[in-house]
């Protein structure tokens, strides 16, 4: 934890003031003195880290939130049992300081730290963790976001404040990677319907992470303050703001003006332009996301009832195969991402080496439009007189694809798909919406641009394609991504979930990716780099993950924003111990006298910023 030295006495400045008065200067106006309300307000206003985001918050309830922006904020507001090391993503303590499995791996005992407190002053205990997990186990609505982690739990108890015991039905490989926010029981036990409670009406929101959520306006902003009692040490910025920008160019312009501190998800053109500008640093690193084309496999619920209006032709694996063969990933990486991505193959990005998979030569569906045409011909989808592919039912292969209006990559890729598939005789309408959630959940789409951030443990992103994540009925919402329900995939998922041998589990995960690839439900087109930028005159230093060439936005932890050091903090911390920041406006000539230490501190700061 970094603590600033307390400011010294202002006696030196006061002596200077007395000398000026003795010299006959009588018109003196005191503008700002450290320790006064004016100085503190000025400092607070200039010590805000503002992050531009383009994705809406789906919910501030940790039990419902699934979008990256929302889950990233929950990592800041709540502790998980364990965390991931910023250096290499290995498991490290979080709310739990230690964990021990029984010999049969069916009982896990966690030691809960004693120095974690909720932001309202109450201690965070094992009872809070037990209540969180039990709620997810007994209320399906509380299991919406993270239910896959607790589906195998038989019993969760808290024998005492420091001990959490989880008994399993069968072994579970994710017990040191339970990415579930632990919530305060004394607050959440008062909630009624968990399906409707979005946790966005009363502020501040009680949490025990490094930040406390203090305010929220839909599609405008979310504000957080440092949790001064956070056991690892309080963040160094006085406020963290996530500000919503529908338009990426507007966010970049705000960065250039200094209105925001950080902008993620840059286009290559934006990154190139920002890279030449003073006080702006561009970070270009291998990302943890994949960028994919998702196919509606026929939306259905666990009760067997189908819903939505997806095109029936996409139920045919030959149609999906043909569309797969008619996508040139190399061109997309070169032209759309301009080299700031890696060509897509398996479901897990290459950054996660032990789980990364690529198809064998005979299995790979490389770009081959001639072969795609043969596949459709053989499957009975031949061209009519107008050059349109028509099915046996006479319905043309005209598809719709959901596009995120805030993502320029979607629009650019959509144009290429229209060209490539058009030559194949397949029509494509690109439907760009501010929010694709409503038609997606209703199953009212044919295809969609899709993408997920993958955790060091891949269990969660694999689980969202299992049959158990489908909604219970068409009226409900589930944790499924795009309604895939494949029994072979499910069988492999169940095997990897109980496999503790790392090599054997990695092999099972690769077999799952192979199956997903062969079905054609998910076409992983690229693994985009994390392309982001921040102002060095606002942020002096910040931790990437992994520390050697990693990303800042959407980390597996809270390291970036928790570690961020204000550009002014080091020099101001030094000056507070050596000089007094007092401004005196003297007489009608308005001569401004500034303590010498202040000027030199600012000079040092400017020089340091120039080096960055």
């Amino acid at each position: 934890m970094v603590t600033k030295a307390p400011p010294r006495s202002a006696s030196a400045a006061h002596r200077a003031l007395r000398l000026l008065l003795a010299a006959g200067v009588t018109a003196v106006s005191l503008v700002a003195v450290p320790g006064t309300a004016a100085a503190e307000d000025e400092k607070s206003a200039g010590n805000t880290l503002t992050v531009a985001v383009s994705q809406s918050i789906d919910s501030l309830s940790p039990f419902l939130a699934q979008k990256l922006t929302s889950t990233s904020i929950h990592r800041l507001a709540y502790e998980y049992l364990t965390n991931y090391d910023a250096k290499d993503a290995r498991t490290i303590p979080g709310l739990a300081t230690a964990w021990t499995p029984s010999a049969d791996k069916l009982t896990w005992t966690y030691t809960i730290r004693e120095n974690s407190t909720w932001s309202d002053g109450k201690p965070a205990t094992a009872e809070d963790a037990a209540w969180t997990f039990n709620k997810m186990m007994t209320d399906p609505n509380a299991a919406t976001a993270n239910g896959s982690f607790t589906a195998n739990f038989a019993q969760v108890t808290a024998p005492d404040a420091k001990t959490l015991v989880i008994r399993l039905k069968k072994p579970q490989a994710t017990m040191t990677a339970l990415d579930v926010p632990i919530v305060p029981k004394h607050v959440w036990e008062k909630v009624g319907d968990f399906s409707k409670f979005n946790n966005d009406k009363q502020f501040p929101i009680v949490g025990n992470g490094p930040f406390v959520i203090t305010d929220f306006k839909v599609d405008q902003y979310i504000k957080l303050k440092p949790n001064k009692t956070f056991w690892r040490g309080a963040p160094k910025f006085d406020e963290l703001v996530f500000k919503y920008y529908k338009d990426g160019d507007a966010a970049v312009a705000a960065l250039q003006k200094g209105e925001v501190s950080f902008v993620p998800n840059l286009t290559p053109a934006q990154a190139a332009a920002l890279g030449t500008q003073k006080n702006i640093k561009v970070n270009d690193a291998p990302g943890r996301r994949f960028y994919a084309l998702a196919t509606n496999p026929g939306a259905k619920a666990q009760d067997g009832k189908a819903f939505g209006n997806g095109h029936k032709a996409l139920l045919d694996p030959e149609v999906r195969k043909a569309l797969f063969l008619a996508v040139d990933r190399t061109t997309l990486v070169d032209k759309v991402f301009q080299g700031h991505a890696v060509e897509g193959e398996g479901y897990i990005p290459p950054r996660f080496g032990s789980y990364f998979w690529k198809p064998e030569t005979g299995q790979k569906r490389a770009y081959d439009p001639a072969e795609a045409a043969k596949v459709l011909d053989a499957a009975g989808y031949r061209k009519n007189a107008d050059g349109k592919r028509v099915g046996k039912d006479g319905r043309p292969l005209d598809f719709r694809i959901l596009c995120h209006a805030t993502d320029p990559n979607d629009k650019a890729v959509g144009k290429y798909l229209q060209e490539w598939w058009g030559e194949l005789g397949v029509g494509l309408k690109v439907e760009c919406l501010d929010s694709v959630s409503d038609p997606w959940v209703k199953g009212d789409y044919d295809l969609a641009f899709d993408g997920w951030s993958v955790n060091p443990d891949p269990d969660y992103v694999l689980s969202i394609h299992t049959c158990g994540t489908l909604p219970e009925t068409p009226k409900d919402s589930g944790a499924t991504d795009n309604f895939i329900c494949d029994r072979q995939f499910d069988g492999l998922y169940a095997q990897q979930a109980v496999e503790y041998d790392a090599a054997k589990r990695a092999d099972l995960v690769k077999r799952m990716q192979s199956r997903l690839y062969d079905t054609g439900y998910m076409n992983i087109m690229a693994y985009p780099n994390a392309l982001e930028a921040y102002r060095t005159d606002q942020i002096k230093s910040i931790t990437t993950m992994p520390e050697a060439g990693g990303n800042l936005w959407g980390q597996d932890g809270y390291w970036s924003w928790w570690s961020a050091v204000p550009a002014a903090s080091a020099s101001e911390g030094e000056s507070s111990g050596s000089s007094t920041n007092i401004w005196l406006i003297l007489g009608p000539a308005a001569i401004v006298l500034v303590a010498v230490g202040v000027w030199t501190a600012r000079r040092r700061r400017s020089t340091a910023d120039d080096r960055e």
Side-chain angles (χ1 to χ4, degrees):
M1 178 178 179
V2 178
T3 55
K4 294 182 180 179
R8 293 183 181 176
S9 168
S11 58
H14 292 163
R15 285 197 297 271
L17 177 58
R18 288 197 297 271
L19 288 172
L20 289 167
L21 293 173
V25 179
T26 56
V28 179
S29 177
L30 181 64
V31 176
V33 178
T36 67
E40 290 303 313
D41 288 345
E42 182 179 343
K43 174 185 174 185
S44 177
N47 198 13
T48 296
L49 195 165
T50 304
V51 177
V53 295
S54 60
Q55 186 185 64
S56 299
I57 300 291
D58 53 346
S59 178
L60 286 182
S61 165
F63 298 96
L64 300 177
Q66 292 177 285
K67 289 186 177 180
L68 179 62
T69 300
S70 309
T71 56
S72 295
I73 288 168
H74 286 147
R75 281 191 177 275
L76 301 176
Y78 302 96
E79 276 275 61
Y80 298 6
L81 287 182
T82 59
N83 205 333
Y84 301 102
D85 193 296
K87 294 180 181 179
D88 54 13
R90 64 184 175 85
T91 301
I92 59 173
L95 181 59
T97 60
W99 43 90
T100 306
S102 59
D104 60 5
K105 304 290 181 69
L106 291 178
T107 301
W108 287 72
T109 302
Y110 299 82
T111 302
I112 304 301
R113 68 174 59 254
E114 296 179 335
N115 58 341
S116 179
T117 59
W118 298 110
S119 52
D120 62 3
K122 291 180 169 52
T125 69
E127 180 62 27
D128 295 303
W131 186 89
T132 299
F133 291 131
N134 277 304
K135 187 64 182 178
M136 294 170 63
M137 294 161 60
T138 57
D139 185 344
N141 293 321
T144 300
N146 299 304
S148 63
F149 290 112
T150 59
N152 182 46
F153 288 9
Q155 183 183 48
V156 182
T157 58
D160 57 60
K162 292 175 52 182
T163 307
L164 175 73
V165 180
I166 300 178
R167 187 166 59 83
L168 305 172
K169 300 173 186 175
K170 54 189 176 183
Q172 182 168 322
T174 61
M175 296 308 289
T176 60
L178 296 172
D179 294 326
V180 177
I182 304 301
V183 303
K185 174 186 176 183
H186 65 279
V187 174
W188 284 84
E189 65 183 353
K190 301 172 186 176
V191 176
D193 187 347
F194 273 64
S195 69
K196 298 178 180 178
F197 183 72
N198 281 312
N199 196 31
D200 57 2
K201 297 294 186 289
Q202 293 186 340
F203 300 94
I205 295 174
V206 178
N208 64 337
F211 289 90
V212 178
I213 301 172
T214 58
D215 195 11
F216 170 63
K217 298 293 183 187
V218 176
D219 286 348
Q220 293 184 46
Y221 62 78
I222 183 166
K223 297 181 178 181
L224 304 92
K225 293 281 189 181
N227 180 358
K228 299 297 185 181
T229 63
F230 184 54
W231 67 271
R232 200 185 288 274
K236 299 164 186 66
F237 273 87
D238 293 327
E239 186 173 44
L240 174 61
V241 178
F242 293 88
K243 188 174 181 180
Y244 180 80
Y245 285 87
K246 179 180 177 181
D247 180 71
D249 288 332
V252 168
L255 182 75
Q256 293 171 318
K257 297 175 185 177
E259 296 172 355
V260 300
S261 316
F262 175 89
V263 175
N265 306 322
L266 299 173
T267 65
Q270 290 169 339
L274 291 173
T276 63
Q277 298 187 22
K278 183 180 179 181
N279 296 329
I280 292 179
K281 182 175 182 178
V282 173
N283 185 46
D284 184 359
R288 55 182 282 243
R289 291 182 65 80
F290 62 76
Y291 181 77
L293 191 62
T295 304
N296 183 343
K300 59 183 176 182
Q302 292 188 43
D303 63 6
K305 295 180 179 178
F307 58 94
N309 58 15
H311 200 298
K312 300 299 182 183
L314 291 173
L315 301 179
D316 187 339
E318 294 303 293
V319 172
R320 299 196 300 270
K321 179 180 179 180
L323 296 182
F324 217 120
L325 290 166
V327 175
D328 187 351
R329 297 170 193 75
T330 302
T331 293
L332 296 182
V333 168
D334 292 343
K335 301 299 183 181
V336 176
F337 295 97
Q338 296 181 28
H340 299 278
V342 176
E343 184 176 332
E345 293 181 293
Y347 193 66
I348 309 298
R351 170 168 160 176
F352 304 100
S354 61
Y355 296 115
F356 177 61
W357 170 88
K358 57 174 59 181
E360 300 291 338
T361 302
Q363 181 185 17
K364 185 172 183 177
R365 295 174 176 174
Y367 179 56
D368 191 339
E371 179 63 22
K374 291 180 182 178
V375 169
L376 288 178
D377 285 340
Y381 301 90
R382 297 185 176 276
K383 288 185 177 180
N384 60 18
D386 296 324
K388 296 284 295 183
R389 293 277 175 181
V390 179
K392 297 173 184 177
D393 59 358
R395 185 181 179 185
L397 296 188
D398 284 332
F399 301 125
R400 306 156 296 166
I401 186 168
L402 287 177
C403 157
H404 301 80
T406 57
D407 191 339
N409 292 328
D410 285 7
K411 299 173 184 177
V413 174
K415 291 180 179 179
Y416 277 104
L417 294 180
Q418 286 177 320
E419 176 185 342
W420 295 330
W421 293 356
E423 293 174 356
L424 193 61
V426 176
L428 182 67
K429 180 181 180 181
V430 181
E431 300 179 340
C432 293
L433 306 173
D434 290 341
S435 176
V436 300
S437 295
D438 286 344
W440 201 318
V441 169
K442 294 176 181 177
D444 291 339
Y445 69 99
D446 301 326
L447 303 124
F449 289 111
D450 197 3
W452 285 84
S453 291
V454 178
N455 297 328
D457 188 295
D459 181 86
Y460 181 78
V461 291
L462 295 171
S463 76
I464 59 178
H465 295 308
T466 57
C467 302
T469 59
L470 296 175
E472 291 192 13
T473 73
K475 295 181 179 180
D476 297 316
S477 60
T480 185
D481 180 32
N482 62 316
F483 305 104
I484 293 175
C485 179
D486 179 74
R487 296 301 175 185
Q488 185 174 331
F489 182 89
D490 270 27
L492 292 168
Y493 175 80
Q495 291 180 59
Q496 69 83 31
V498 301
E499 182 56 70
Y500 286 107
D501 183 283
K504 292 180 180 179
R505 184 175 181 228
D507 180 64
L508 288 165
V509 169
K510 290 176 182 178
R511 288 170 61 188
M512 293 177 69
Q513 295 177 75
S514 177
R515 176 60 183 172
L516 204 57
Y517 185 92
D518 287 343
T519 63
Y521 290 133
M522 293 290 292
N523 182 348
I524 311 300
M525 296 183 289
Y527 309 111
N529 285 8
L531 207 53
E532 49 201 8
Y534 66 91
R535 293 199 64 94
T536 56
D537 55 355
Q538 294 185 26
I539 302 174
K540 180 181 180 182
S541 63
I542 189 169
T543 299
T544 59
M545 183 179 185
E547 284 186 346
N551 58 291
L552 292 167
W553 170 246
Q555 293 182 353
D556 300 297
Y558 41 65
W559 309 114
S560 52
W561 315 128
W562 171 77
S563 71
V565 176
S569 70
S571 54
E572 287 183 351
E574 293 163 6
S575 67
S576 67
S578 59
S579 62
T580 303
N581 298 358
I582 181 169
W583 289 24
L584 302 175
I585 301 178
L586 307 177
I591 301 171
V592 179
L593 175 64
V594 183
V596 174
V598 178
W599 181 83
T600 56
R602 288 179 177 167
R603 186 165 178 254
R604 285 198 302 272
R605 183 164 71 244
S606 174
T607 305
D609 288 345
D610 289 342
R611 286 198 299 270
E612 292 183 80

